[in-house]
Structure formats: structure tokens, C-alpha cells
Amino acid sequence: MPELMSWGRAATGLLGAALLSVAARHEKVLAPLDRGIRVPAPYTELSRRAWQAVTVLGSRPVAYTAAATRCLRCPKGRTRRSALDRWLPLAVLAAGDVTRTAICRAVGRQRPPQAGRFASFHGASYPSRHTATALLATGLVTGSRTAACGVGCAVGLSRLALRVHWPTDVLGGWLFGYGWLAAARIARTATAPDLTARSPHPPGARHRPPADAVR
């Protein structure tokens, strides 16, 4: 059942992001939704700095530093499998970043009007890189899906408040990060060695030699 739920999460996130990416190429399709959802802009210096502090959680330097620290804190393994497991969070984050960038360039969506922006940006608008990166990095570092979704939502709101993304950009970034994280867990489970299948004795059971064993 847990494996089936993971497949459902991966399909929901990745397919949802894919469908939104198709719609994002046609501004009139998503325009009513984008203009109907508004987050109050930071009209004071204190609120602007607060939102900018939140949005930094989705930046590449913070995300990759956190993932690399998580990898370095893992105990060093002597086998090739252990080495792959150790650096897996960083590899998953990088692969997700590359894939999201490819989608962003393929869609090529324009940013919100420049007059209302409160932060700098890079590249096209869909899907939100900060939102996807924050969700994915938090999930990989903490191992908590709840924490990942919460941080992803907070960073997504900051991108809306700073007026550098449309609401559907944030939704697409959140769905992509959510789906990619679930897909990574499926791949990790599928490639994990089945230790119980190699031994006729159940885990935790004490092995007793046969009575006629040579002593």
C-alpha cells in the first residue's frame, strides 16, 4: 500500500505539472486564475525583507549546500552501493533542477509586469524554481514530506508576494517538486537490495548450525 501511494503522489505531481506547462504556453487559458489569486505585496521595508528571507530558502546556494551537508554527514560506506546511497540526495536535487530548467525554457512564459516586482529573477516564469527547489531540498534533507510541502508553500507565497511569479507558476513548481520527490523515493525503494531474500533466516533470528556440523 505505501508503494502504491508513492506512485499516486508521483503521478499527481508530475502529470499535474505537465498539464499546467501545456496551459502556460497559452496566456488566456490561465489568465483568469492568475489574476484571481492575490497575495498582499510587501509595502514596508520590514515585510519586504521578511519575504526575501523566506524566498532565499529556495535558492540554489542554500538548497545545494543543505543537500551536500546531508550527504557528507552520512557514514562512509566501503561498498559501491553505499557510496551511491550517500550521494543520492545531491544527485536527485541536481537531476530535478536540470529537468525543471528544461521545462522552463520549453514553456518560455513571461514574468508578471516589471513595475510591481520586489525581487530580482532569472529565466522564464513557469514553473517556479524557488518553489520546486525548496520543496525538493527540504524533503531530501529532512526525509519529511510534511516539512517539504510546508517549506514549498511558504517559499511559493514569498514568490507571489514579491511579484516575480504568477500563481500558476508557483503551483506548477510545487507539483513538480512534490512529484519528483515521490518518484525519487520510488526509484530508491526499487533499487534497494533485498537483504532478507539472500538469507533463509528471518531478520533478528539466531542462526543455529546443524547438529552434524563439523566442530
Side-chain angles (χ1 to χ4, degrees), residues 13 52 115 141 169 174 197:
Q52 288 178 342
V141 172
D169 298 336
W174 193 95

Side-chain angles (χ1 to χ4, degrees), residues 89-162:
L90 194 59
V92 170
L93 179 62
D97 191 11
V98 170
T99 305
R100 189 220 61 88
T101 301
I103 297 173
C104 183
R105 292 178 178 177
V107 175
R109 193 182 194 190
Q110 296 295 321
R111 297 273 180 168
Q114 185 174 359
R117 297 171 190 162
F118 294 89
S120 58
F121 63 90
H122 176 73
S125 192
Y126 180 91
S128 170
R129 173 170 58 86
H130 280 73
T131 305
T133 303
L135 191 156
L136 187 55
T138 303
L140 292 170
V141 172
T142 66
S144 170
R145 186 170 57 254
T146 302
C149 293
V151 173
C153 287
V155 173
L157 288 175
S158 73
R159 304 306 285 171
L160 296 180
L162 296 173

